[in-house]
Amino acid sequence: MQDTALRTPQLAAWLAGTDIGLLELRTPQGILRLGRQGDDIVELPAEVTEVESELVSVHALSVGVFLHSHPLAAAPLVRTGERVEAGQTVGLLKIGPLLLPVTAPQAGIVDGVHAADGLAVGYGTPLVDLHPL
């Protein structure tokens, strides 16, 4: 974080010239958060809640329509409380005629499915939360 700390004034000056409200930079050494307070750019404390650190979110890797199950199957691919393995399909993204699998990045217990079945989602939309095992 030392290298980042040396560049904090440069990052703050750059941020001041944009309409970005919060900049969070994560490195192996720590987290740097810069935000606006009035007209000033200030360093904010790294806020990580216990719930956020426990859950792993599975995000959409593309735009598309999120499906809980395959169009030819009635049962959802996963349910809340169900154990999943790394790489297991937890949903599908429909992009035109294509169905792309949405997979669990690691083993865990499904905490919740955020996107409704058939919902159009954008890149990075949180879809499913997992409690890691």
Side-chain angles (χ1 to χ4, degrees):
M1 201 63 168
Q2 291 173 348
D3 188 40
T4 305
L6 295 174
R7 295 179 190 216
T8 301
Q10 292 172 323
L11 291 170
W14 170 80
L15 188 60
T18 70
D19 61 349
I20 297 171
L22 173 70
L23 172 70
E24 183 173 284
L25 179 62
R26 294 175 182 250
T27 68
Q29 293 78 29
I31 299 172
L32 172 67
R33 296 178 83 230
L34 298 175
R36 297 182 182 276
Q37 282 186 346
D39 292 334
D40 297 328
I41 303 296
V42 297
E43 188 169 346
L44 302 171
E47 297 176 3
V48 178
T49 65
E50 189 174 318
V51 172
E52 288 176 333
S53 63
E54 286 182 9
L55 293 178
V56 173
S57 287
V58 181
H59 296 86
L61 296 178
S62 176
V63 297
V65 175
F66 183 64
L67 302 176
H68 291 196
S69 61
H70 190 280
L72 301 178
L77 292 163
V78 295
R79 291 186 170 92
T80 301
E82 183 178 331
R83 179 189 169 112
V84 295
E85 298 300 324
Q88 181 176 337
T89 302
V90 296
L92 297 168
L93 272 181
K94 183 177 181 187
I95 305 166
L98 282 170
L99 292 176
L100 298 178
V102 176
T103 59
Q106 65 187 65
I109 305 293
V110 177
D111 182 65
V113 179
H114 293 291
D117 189 46
L119 180 71
V121 297
Y123 173 81
T125 302
L127 303 172
V128 177
D129 279 341
L130 301 175
H131 282 286
L133 295 179

